Each structure stands twice: as C-alpha cells, then as structure tokens.
Amino acid sequence: MKYTSILLLLFLGISWGQNPGRYAGLASNVFLRSDLPARTSALSGAFTAVADDETALYYNPAGLANVNFSSLSLNHSEWFEDIRIDNLIFTYKIDSKLGWAVGIAHLGMPAIQGKDIYGQPTQKLNVSSSYIQLGFGYKIMPAFYLGLAVKYFQDNLASYKADGLGIDLGFYMYTFIPGVTFAAAVQNLGAKFQYDVQKEQLPMTYRVGIAYKSYALRGLLLTLDVRKSIDTEYVPSIGLEYKYRNAISIQLGSRMVERDRIEPTIGAGLTISNKYFFNYAYFVSNNLGVTHKVGFSVRFGKKGFKARTKHYPGLSATTLRPPENVESYIVGNQLIIRWDRVSGARYNVYAKGNNQTKWSKLNRHPLYSNQMKFKKPRKGEKIRVKVTAIINARESSFSKEVVIESK
C-alpha cells in the first residue's frame, strides 16, 4: 500500500511535468491538460486563438469549424525514464459550417518494480493513462464559432483504477482588426472520480487567447495564451511561427513556469504538396529534463468549402462585400483587370473560358493590389472574370461578371 501510494503521487507529478514548479498542480488526472501535438508544444501551448488544424480538438473545439480538410494526425513524445505519450487524431469537414474530430491519447511507462516495507521485491507495478475525445466546431456566423468536446478517460495506477467523463466548451471569433482572432475555452468540466476511497476532481482549466496572422508578412503568426486551472496560478505563454513559402516553418515559444523563470520551446515543420506535414518540438524542463516530440499529418478527401456569402455580419465592424466597378483594359499585350478597393481586404480573381463550365482561380495567393495583369487573350477568344474580397480568411460572394473578348 505504501509503495502504491508513492507511485500514485509520482504519476500525478510526471503527467503534469511539462509545467513544473509551482504550477505542478494538485488535481488528479493531469494528463488531461498536457500538450500532446508537436506543433502546439513548440508554441508552448499558446493555441486557443489559433486553432486552425486538427489539434484544435485539444485546445478549443470551436476551431474545428476552421478546418477545411479531412486529415489523420499522429504524434509521439519521448520523455525521461522511457515515459512515452502517443496521440492519434482524425478530422472530417462535414460542410462549410461544421467540422468534427476524434482523438485518442495514451501515456505509458515501463513496469516499476514494487517492494515491501522491508525492501524486498514484490510484483511489478503497471502505470498508464488513456483518453478518447470527440469534438465539434460549428460556425454560428461567418466570424463567430462555437465548439463542444466530450472525453472519456481511464487511469491504471498499479492496483488503483479509475475512469470518468469530461466536457470542453469554447468559442472562436474574428475581430474587426484584420488578421486578429480572439478565443476562450473551458476544459475538463465534469464530476469527481474515485481511485480508491477518496474522490478526486478533474483539472478544470480556463484558457483565453489572442492571435495575429500577418497579411503584410505572409506566413507570420503571433499568439498569446493565459491559462488558469483550479489548482494553479495563471500561466501565460507566447508563441511565434513563421512559414516560408508554405513549405518550411519554425516555431518558438515560451511559458512562465514561475514568476521569475520561463521555459522556452522550439520546433520546426516541413510541408510537402500542402498534403503531408511533419513537425518536431524540443524543450528542456527545468525539473524533468529533455522532451522530444514528433508529429505527422496527412490531409485528404474534401478540400474544404469556401464561404461566399453576400454579407459579413459577424462581430467585425467591416462588411464583407464583393469588389465593385470591376473593369478591364488591354494595354499592348497585357490584359489588366481593376476594381474598387474593399477596406482591409485581399482579393481572388476567377476566370472562365468559352467552353469551360467551372471558374478557375488565377492567382496563387490572395492579392494585396486591386488590379491584376496577365497575357492578353488570343484573337476571337472570350473570357469571363469575377473578383472576390477576403477578410480574416473569409471570402465574399462574386463580383459582377466582366466579359473580355479580344478582337
């Protein structure tokens, strides 16, 4: 009994060891609030207001409405004393408003040799913790999302076993400032659970975040989170990510583990064909040593749904409308398409030829300019052009059609 109790305390400590020191926590099953994926760990968990991929399931389920793809993600962590954490996430985009994900996480370690009060070996003690989580994100308005996740967990602490249910709730919104998002979530709501005689409380956690994706410097992300659990002080964390040509990325993060001490994190990512994603995170805990995390994701199936609505009535002060007064000019061998600016917007230009039935986007990345130049059509060729405006990753309806015919 003595050694089992010690083992229980050991397990509770190491599960929350990614936030050591005064934030180590007293609530049981602290595995529920560990950073699992590699990319988010490299950002020091400052992901509440980012929530732009499948890992939103563990930080803010409202962000699952942001996901415009289906994916499968695997994450693996190597910790001290051969402690390992494995995580699998599957995400599916149902329609333009609703996305869902399911994730499985498992923490395990080698069996620990038990000893009696005289120091003699007894049976080996097995320790593990697992949970499965199902989450949904729904787009209430173009700029405002809500999310819900339900989790079932099970602990095996030598001769003690326990299980229970928890709930996460969150919201996510685009602000009136282009590129800035704000979000908040409450995690691990649920009844007490029991290992032996004493009932334990879930580690209920509140988290608030703000993030900025730069339009001027493409690929730059800045994010800030503040987290508060029922048994910890406030834990601020910041993260920075820069992605070069949508292929190579680097992440830097920092979390305050004590008032006078921070814990930096670093990570890197590689994207191939915008389909295969590799991520790595590295950090050194002041108390528990080095941690390595690797992640792999593949996106497939649905490519996503573009929201082309006539208005942008969300919580933004900007009305998202299509550009007006779209005009065309032929100057020498160039065709110039020009339109009126929409405040704070970038633009996509679509075209359709004589015998084409589908609109094709002409620009690879959203345009900052309110005009586009390309080669003049051949004589007798007729093309149709439409333009859309983009604010905070939301796209307007089409502008009025412009028909260009070269004579």
Side-chain angles (χ1 to χ4, degrees):
M1 179 67 181
K2 174 182 176 181
Y3 288 94
T4 304
S5 300
I6 293 174
L7 181 62
L8 175 60
L9 293 175
L10 171 65
F11 178 80
L12 295 177
I14 61 176
S15 294
W16 189 229
Q18 296 181 65
N19 295 310
R22 76 191 322 160
Y23 300 121
L26 300 175
S28 295
N29 208 328
V30 286
F31 180 41
L32 292 175
R33 52 186 171 184
S34 297
D35 291 321
L36 299 176
R39 180 190 175 210
T40 57
S41 296
L43 294 170
S44 290
F47 204 70
T48 307
V50 181
D52 59 357
D53 61 20
E54 62 277 359
T55 58
L57 175 67
Y58 295 115
Y59 294 87
N60 184 0
L64 293 172
N66 267 325
V67 176
N68 290 322
F69 46 79
S70 298
S71 68
L72 183 67
S73 176
L74 302 169
N75 292 279
H76 175 76
S77 302
E78 289 283 346
W79 216 2
F80 74 104
E81 296 296 333
D82 291 329
I83 298 172
R84 299 179 180 182
I85 301 176
D86 294 293
N87 170 233
L88 171 70
I89 312 170
F90 174 74
T91 311
Y92 185 78
K93 184 72 172 181
I94 297 175
D95 58 29
S96 62
K97 292 186 175 182
L98 180 63
W100 69 273
V102 60
I104 301 173
H106 176 77
L107 181 150
M109 65 183 73
I112 300 174
Q113 179 64 60
K115 293 183 179 181
D116 60 23
I117 59 175
Y118 302 106
Q120 297 301 313
T122 59
Q123 77 275 17
K124 289 189 175 182
L125 307 175
N126 294 308
V127 177
S128 65
S129 183
S130 303
Y131 71 96
I132 182 170
Q133 183 162 332
L134 175 66
F136 297 88
Y138 186 75
K139 188 181 300 183
I140 302 295
M141 293 185 289
F144 187 76
Y145 310 161
L146 291 178
L148 166 70
V150 179
K151 64 189 74 175
Y152 170 77
F153 65 89
Q154 186 176 76
D155 285 351
N156 175 22
L157 308 180
S159 60
Y160 292 100
K161 299 184 188 300
D163 60 3
L165 294 173
I167 295 175
D168 294 354
L169 301 172
F171 78 85
Y172 182 101
M173 58 177 282
Y174 290 92
T175 69
F176 65 91
I177 304 173
V180 176
T181 53
F182 176 76
V186 181
Q187 299 175 299
N188 303 318
L189 294 166
K192 291 184 178 182
F193 62 100
Q194 190 169 328
Y195 284 105
D196 187 16
V197 177
Q198 182 178 352
K199 290 188 176 181
E200 305 289 345
Q201 191 166 3
L202 284 176
M204 187 170 65
T205 302
Y206 305 91
R207 55 193 314 143
V208 178
I210 187 169
Y212 172 65
K213 291 184 177 180
S214 173
Y215 288 163
L217 186 58
R218 299 178 186 178
L220 177 65
L221 167 68
L222 300 173
T223 178
L224 168 68
D225 263 30
V226 178
R227 178 174 50 191
K228 173 71 171 71
S229 294
I230 57 172
D231 57 347
T232 70
E233 298 181 18
Y234 291 96
V235 181
S237 56
I238 58 174
L240 180 150
E241 179 180 62
Y242 181 71
K243 183 174 289 187
Y244 179 71
R245 293 186 176 273
N246 202 35
I248 300 173
S249 63
I250 185 170
Q251 298 89 27
L252 300 173
S254 182
R255 175 190 292 117
M256 182 175 290
V257 295
E258 289 187 0
R259 293 187 185 276
D260 58 349
R261 193 169 78 226
I262 62 174
E263 187 176 273
T265 56
I266 188 171
L270 174 65
T271 301
I272 300 176
S273 302
N274 203 32
K275 182 176 181 180
Y276 304 101
F277 299 79
F278 301 86
N279 288 284
Y280 171 76
Y282 170 89
F283 63 91
V284 180
S285 168
N286 292 317
N287 293 345
L288 300 175
V290 173
T291 296
H292 299 274
K293 295 191 177 187
V294 292
F296 169 73
S297 299
V298 57
R299 296 178 183 176
F300 53 88
K302 297 184 178 182
K303 300 296 184 182
F305 302 83
K306 291 186 179 294
R308 297 196 179 111
T309 56
K310 293 185 178 180
H311 301 287
Y312 188 70
L315 302 181
S316 171
T318 303
T319 298
L320 185 62
R321 64 182 188 279
E324 299 178 348
N325 300 320
V326 181
E327 299 175 324
S328 65
Y329 306 89
I330 294 180
V331 180
N333 290 324
Q334 284 191 325
L335 172 63
I336 302 174
I337 307 297
R338 186 174 297 165
W339 54 89
D340 290 349
R341 289 186 180 276
V342 176
S343 179
R346 294 181 295 171
Y347 311 95
N348 283 333
V349 179
Y350 296 84
K352 184 168 64 172
N354 287 337
N355 301 319
Q356 294 177 324
T357 58
K358 294 182 179 181
W359 292 93
S360 299
K361 189 170 71 171
L362 301 181
N363 50 297
R364 183 175 180 181
H365 302 290
L367 303 173
Y368 292 88
S369 172
N370 65 325
Q371 68 175 23
M372 184 176 184
K373 300 178 182 180
F374 48 94
K375 189 175 180 180
K376 182 181 72 174
R378 290 174 295 184
K379 187 176 181 179
E381 186 178 6
K382 181 188 293 185
I383 62 172
R384 295 173 169 81
V385 175
K386 293 182 178 182
V387 183
T388 63
I390 305 170
I391 295 179
N392 289 335
R394 304 279 76 87
E395 189 171 15
S396 74
S397 59
F398 282 132
S399 67
K400 290 184 178 180
E401 182 178 296
V402 174
V403 180
I404 301 110
E405 184 173 5
S406 181
K407 297 181 180 180

